[in-house]
Amino acid sequence: MKKQTKIEITVLILLTFLNFFLIKKELSSLLYIFLFIPLGLYFFPIKPIMLIVKNERESLAYKIISCFIISLSIILAYISYLIGIKFTFIKIAYLIELIINLYLISYFVKNKDQLYILHIIIVLLNAMSYYVN
């Protein structure tokens, strides 16, 4: 497993645990801003650009979609922290992300790529944000 993937897995596990503990405590949203927003920005605009610059052509479209879904999940967890699960749009977005994450998990497992671990962690983060709020 690549060192970058190990770091991403570790950071997402840490973020999921912190999300669990921070949801129960009413802490300032500044902590969420400094944790969730930079990680969300890393996964969508920065990581796909790095994949294109490195000229990784192996399943590039799936990896870009994967980065977008991970970033969207992180940002949606932050939004659900701020306003809760009051709107039907947020509930539907969580369900659509769950279906896409399950498909990406099966795709990466089939291709023996370690990115499926990231999507399992994101499914846990989404479930936690959906049911706790």
Side-chain angles (χ1 to χ4, degrees):
M1 186 181 316
K2 294 180 185 176
K3 184 177 180 181
Q4 179 183 3
T5 307
K6 286 182 184 179
I7 292 171
E8 290 171 357
I9 290 170
T10 306
V11 168
L12 278 178
I13 289 173
L14 181 70
L15 188 73
T16 303
F17 281 121
L18 283 175
N19 185 40
F20 178 71
F21 293 120
L22 291 176
I23 284 176
K24 291 298 182 183
K25 305 273 185 192
E26 292 297 325
L27 294 177
S28 155
S29 64
L30 285 176
L31 193 56
Y32 266 90
I33 289 174
F34 290 125
L35 294 175
F36 280 67
I37 302 298
L39 193 61
L41 289 175
Y42 164 75
F43 272 106
F44 185 60
I46 296 173
K47 188 175 177 187
I49 291 171
M50 290 184 341
L51 289 174
I52 292 170
V53 169
K54 286 182 183 177
N55 207 10
E56 285 191 29
R57 296 289 179 215
E58 182 180 322
S59 65
L60 181 65
Y62 282 102
K63 288 183 180 179
I64 290 175
I65 292 170
S66 168
C67 292
F68 177 73
I69 293 299
I70 290 172
S71 175
L72 186 64
S73 298
I74 292 170
I75 299 300
L76 194 60
Y78 175 67
I79 290 172
S80 68
Y81 167 75
L82 289 179
I83 62 174
I85 305 284
K86 298 175 185 170
F87 301 111
T88 307
F89 171 75
I90 294 176
K91 292 180 183 179
I92 291 172
Y94 272 126
L95 295 176
I96 291 171
E97 282 183 6
L98 175 68
I99 293 168
I100 294 172
N101 274 322
L102 292 176
Y103 174 74
L104 288 171
I105 288 170
S106 67
Y107 176 79
F108 288 129
V109 166
K110 185 176 76 174
N111 289 342
K112 297 181 175 87
D113 196 350
Q114 297 294 324
L115 292 178
Y116 73 92
I117 299 171
L118 292 174
H119 288 284
I120 291 173
I121 296 168
I122 288 298
V123 166
L124 294 174
L125 179 67
N126 281 344
M128 184 185 316
S129 296
Y130 185 81
Y131 288 112
V132 171
N133 285 326

